[in-house]
Amino acid sequence: MKHKRSMFRASLSGQIRQTKLPKWKPLLPVFEAVMNAFQSIQERPGEGSIIINVVEANSLKLDGTADRIQRFVIYDNGVGFTDENMDSFNTAFSEYKFMRGGKGVGRFLWLKAFGSVEVDSVFDAGDDGLLRRRFTFDTAYDPDNVKDEPAEGAPIGTAITLDAFQEPFKSEVPLDLELIALRMCEHFILLLMQPNCPKIELRSGKERVSVNAVFESGFRKSATRSTFTIRDHDFEVHGFRLKVPRSFRHRLIYCADERAVLSENLDDHIPNLSGRLADEAGESFVYLAVVTGGFLNAHVNQERTAFDIDDDTDADAAQESLFVPNMKRAEIRKECIDFVRSDLSDVLADINTSKLERVRNYVASDAPHYRVLLKRAHEFIDRIPPSGTKNDLEMALHRELHQREVELKKEGSRIIVEAAKLDDYEAYRDRLSHFLENNNELGVAALAQYVAHRKIILELFEKALGSTDGTGKYPLERILHQIIFPMRSSTDDTLYSQQNLWILDERLNSFGVIHSDRQLRSIDGLESDSRMRPDLIAFDQEYLLGDGPQPLSSLTVVEFKRPMRDDYDREENPLTQVFEIIEKVRSGTQLDANRRPIAVAGPDIPTTCYVVCDLTPNLKKILKDRDATVMPDGQGFYGYSRNYKAYYEVLDYGKVLRDAQRRNVALFDKLKLI
């Protein structure tokens, strides 16, 4: 025995360093002392009692309050530090309590969070009568210095004083006794369910809180239970509806050796559990699920803070080994989540009914392109947060629509691959018809979203066109330009959804290369040193199979002018400007991917010019002098310049807006957007 004690002294400091205590489990050393008290009571017949005295730091008190706990004193009326218990205490990694879940490291956890531990224990020594053992357990502890002394008349039991509570653990513990009691209930939930559980009471000054009473009122009354089996391993899961006035989150707790080890937030897996729930009587509660099993007992670490179980959901990610079991925590979690859904089915159904109504209203008023999802809403309504904003609904519905698109693409690929293998044409036709029906629904949804986007863009365009800066001046052309196509950009760095060339002409969407508000000399592929900056310049760059890029075969130039501008003359006007740009481009050359020059297809490649402006009196006169033809509605001019071999249109801003609205009005009407 002396040899074992000398080994214990030598290993004490090292074992304390190796023992892990997470910051998020600051009460674990206290709970280990309580567990030791419980096990000591189990060895003695009669009614057991455990009292935990919470002592606040006097030096930190201000106006009768304190913001830190200094020490815990745990009293029990168990058998005390008998010779067997003392030998176990003085043996590193003792297996004395192994069959009751003991790991032999609890006392090392004490010194991770507390500066010292005082032990005062009275026990029955048989023929020697009652004896008392008092000693200090710290880094200088020597088992040989522990002496016995007579304890005539003293009650049998033990007092453990965990003193000098240290950071960072001290700051993590609340002063509220009820809150500490709730945490004790969660940690010892399996012990508190036993019929012979001792009385456990928390004290602080004159305040008293019965942990048993908290458990009875808040836990046991609502308890439910179920079992499941995974690969011949049996598990048990309990559910509790906690009607406590605290804003706890709904959680799933993994237990081992009758203690809580890990906790997960249930709303990470069931979005409906993002807030407190209400039962049939309207009382609010939070839900707690607790899972236990021999498999968890066998794979908990010595400090009971983690399991050596892989949490990867990919079955091929980790292979079974001597140290890591092939079963994954995700498998256990899935069974527990299924139990929670079933146990809360009545509450979740009410939440989903309310959410579905919100989703329907949102789709009807703000997002008709998601209408295709409504008839399958029961498949995903669980995944939508119950109290989310419109933005949350948008993100959730967008995610579901994208997922449907991905699934349909996979199904389409499978149908094509399997078509050649099918002998039953009718079966293939039915499967294909079903696929096309679903795919068409998604196509309609995408079209609806695009049409709704057009409606918003036209409203922005109209608002910008009619606004002034308060002085009667209209906005610069760059505002309207920005709506149609982002400035200082090109098709190389602008998403299709960011450009709205359809406002001007639907055909502009088909051009291969478009540059917006960039100097000609900065455009790759044009050998030009001109600083001219066309508002929009577009040209074809078609590819023939095996032949690479071809010479430029067409060109389009768009020029925006400030609304209500009327200072043009014969030499300085929009047409003169665009014709000059045409000349600069036609005289340059295109470069291929290897930076080799490719000539423009010809000096007279087809060219179209658009000038978007307000048709002021001065500009109308200049256009008539150029023999431009007035459009039937009187809101634009068109013509063909023989000198520049270019077709041009000069369009009033109002005409551009009205024509775009008319082209889309039928679509807006079908979607009930007007």
Side-chain angles (χ1 to χ4, degrees), residues 570 575 579 619-631 637-643 648 650:
R570 187 172 182 80
L575 281 184
F579 290 156
L619 182 57
K620 288 181 179 180
K621 183 177 184 305
I622 293 173
L623 293 172
K624 288 179 180 179
D625 290 344
R626 286 183 175 269
D627 293 328
T629 302
V630 181
M631 292 181 176
F637 288 79
Y638 68 92
Y640 180 78
S641 172
R642 294 183 177 84
N643 293 332
Y648 62 87
V650 181

Side-chain angles (χ1 to χ4, degrees), residues 217-339:
S217 62
F219 288 71
R220 191 190 296 276
K221 287 183 179 179
S222 65
T224 55
R225 173 186 172 277
S226 183
T227 60
F228 60 89
T229 301
I230 303 176
R231 306 184 194 179
D232 298 326
H233 294 285
D234 295 328
F235 297 86
E236 188 172 67
V237 57
H238 299 264
F240 302 89
R241 300 188 181 195
L242 310 182
K243 298 177 181 179
V244 292
R246 303 288 178 184
S247 57
F248 278 104
R249 295 178 71 175
H250 310 279
R251 285 181 292 162
L252 167 62
I253 295 179
Y254 299 83
C255 288
D257 301 327
E258 299 181 318
R259 289 99 148 173
V261 177
L262 284 181
S263 174
E264 293 181 352
N265 294 322
L266 281 171
D267 59 328
D268 291 338
H269 311 285
I270 307 177
N272 278 344
L273 302 184
S274 60
R276 292 181 68 91
L277 305 176
D279 60 14
E280 294 179 353
E283 294 186 77
S284 68
F285 67 90
V286 294
Y287 189 85
L288 186 68
V290 179
V291 60
T292 65
F295 181 82
L296 295 173
N297 295 342
H299 293 283
V300 67
N301 66 0
Q302 64 178 7
E303 297 89 358
R304 296 185 193 85
T305 58
F307 297 97
D308 60 351
I309 303 174
D310 195 342
D311 193 31
D312 199 323
T313 56
D314 184 354
D316 299 325
Q319 300 298 322
E320 186 170 7
S321 70
L322 293 175
F323 305 102
V324 181
N326 197 32
M327 187 189 300
K328 296 173 174 60
R329 183 148 53 100
E331 298 177 73
I332 304 173
R333 179 192 302 118
K334 179 184 180 302
E335 295 290 340
C336 294
I337 294 300
D338 289 343
F339 165 76

